[in-house]
Amino acid sequence: MFDLSFKDILALIPSFVYKRLALILTFQVAGLIIGVLLAVLVLGNNCPVCNTKYKWYKKIPILPFIFFFAKCKNCKTRMSVIYLLFPIFTSLSWGLAVRMFWSKSIVYTVAVLILVSICLCIFFNGIKAKPNDRRYLFALILPAVITAFFDVDIEVSLLFHFLALFMAFLLFLNISLISGKIKKINKVNFFDPIFAGSIGFSLGWEKFLFSLICTVVCIIIALPIIKLKKSCKSLSYGITPFLSIGYIVSLLFGTGIIEYCIERLI
């Protein structure tokens, strides 16, 4: 009665499932390739010690680290693990975004893919203790605006997106001013307030508050690591790297978690 062959089981699966899986896998592979290119953009294509150019196959994710090829051929310095993590995170994020949003809005999904990639650039740029590149900010503004107008998660008036923009900008402007006084820096860093304002407008006030919670959690987790590893200077350029991770988590999972919490409270 239950003697079904593997082909019979496959026949029971609807054809749209195959198409969905093929779509997700395609974007995951694309995300892997884009992640490699962005890792080179963030870290450079040369060894930081002797400036020797890395071979192309050493930047292919996983393989170099499995076969221990992830070293400079000249000075034998190990390549940064970011060359491995960047493509993996990009691939997973792209696959999740396509799975969750593609059927609702293709425009929104593409904007989320761009935002995830830019935020990963900002995060890994901060991990390497580099000053925030304004090119990332300019590249982020347009897709952030698109996600506000094509928001598929929570039905919120556009007015609340503008409210979140001003709330986020003023909050991080005050943080920047306070940190400037503590460090006795006269020049205000406007990167964090503008970045936060873009995030606020993109998410709306509910998901923006959730992204702040995620940011605080990331900072709490990172602080012991930073203290143990004194060479890590991620906080030297503000909390933007951690805010970018909070933004990614909120984009992908914010609505589901918020709705779950509301159901539990009610």
Side-chain angles (χ1 to χ4, degrees):
M1 181 177 178
F2 296 101
D3 188 16
L4 294 174
S5 65
F6 183 68
K7 289 184 178 180
D8 294 332
I9 295 172
L10 289 178
L12 296 175
I13 302 174
S15 60
F16 74 86
V17 175
Y18 292 118
K19 294 179 181 178
R20 189 78 178 272
L21 287 173
L23 183 68
I24 293 170
L25 289 173
T26 300
F27 274 92
Q28 283 193 306
V29 172
L32 204 64
I33 296 169
I34 294 296
V36 173
L37 297 175
L38 292 176
V40 173
L41 175 67
V42 171
L43 296 177
N45 204 26
N46 299 331
C47 173
V49 176
C50 65
N51 206 35
T52 302
K53 189 174 182 180
Y54 290 130
K55 295 289 185 180
W56 65 269
Y57 58 82
K58 290 190 177 183
K59 294 188 287 290
I60 299 175
I62 301 176
L63 290 178
F65 292 87
I66 291 176
F67 298 107
F68 303 102
F69 292 148
K71 293 181 180 179
C72 173
K73 67 175 182 179
N74 185 34
C75 66
K76 306 303 179 184
T77 302
R78 285 194 177 275
M79 292 173 64
S80 173
V81 73
I82 295 176
Y83 282 105
L84 174 67
L85 296 178
F86 206 129
I88 291 174
F89 287 165
T90 307
S91 178
L92 291 175
S93 300
W94 279 37
L96 281 169
V98 170
R99 179 181 177 275
M100 297 170 71
F101 307 124
W102 189 266
S103 59
K104 299 176 183 177
S105 172
I106 296 175
V107 176
Y108 182 85
T109 307
V110 173
V112 169
L113 298 182
I114 297 170
L115 288 171
V116 164
S117 303
I118 296 170
C119 286
L120 286 174
C121 284
I122 293 171
F123 174 72
F124 285 115
N125 201 61
I127 291 297
K128 296 302 291 181
K130 294 181 180 179
N132 293 310
D133 195 329
R134 293 184 180 181
R135 291 177 298 176
Y136 300 145
L137 179 60
F138 292 131
L140 176 136
I141 291 173
L142 179 59
V145 171
I146 291 173
T147 54
F149 282 94
F150 290 87
D151 196 345
V152 298
D153 284 335
I154 300 175
E155 294 182 3
V156 180
S157 169
L158 197 59
L159 178 64
F160 289 102
H161 284 274
F162 281 104
L163 178 63
L165 186 157
F166 290 113
M167 180 176 68
F169 180 81
L170 292 175
L171 174 64
F172 278 80
L173 182 62
N174 287 325
I175 292 173
S176 182
L177 289 169
I178 293 168
S179 63
K181 288 182 179 180
I182 293 172
K183 296 180 180 179
K184 297 180 180 179
I185 301 172
N186 295 324
K187 188 177 180 180
V188 178
N189 176 22
F190 281 101
F191 187 94
D192 286 356
I194 296 174
F195 180 54
S198 301
I199 290 176
F201 185 65
S202 171
L203 296 175
W205 70 272
E206 289 177 309
K207 286 192 286 184
F208 175 69
L209 291 177
F210 176 73
S211 70
L212 289 181
I213 295 171
C214 295
T215 301
V216 172
V217 171
C218 288
I219 292 173
I220 292 171
I221 294 171
L223 279 175
I225 300 172
I226 293 169
K227 287 183 178 180
L228 288 172
K229 192 175 180 182
K230 293 181 180 179
S231 59
C232 183
K233 301 176 183 178
S234 300
L235 288 175
S236 300
Y237 301 102
I239 63 173
T240 308
F242 305 105
L243 182 60
S244 64
I245 294 300
Y247 186 22
I248 292 174
V249 174
S250 190
L251 272 173
L252 297 177
F253 307 109
T255 300
I257 294 174
I258 290 170
E259 290 177 349
Y260 175 81
C261 292
I262 291 172
E263 288 176 3
R264 287 292 178 179
L265 289 173
I266 294 175

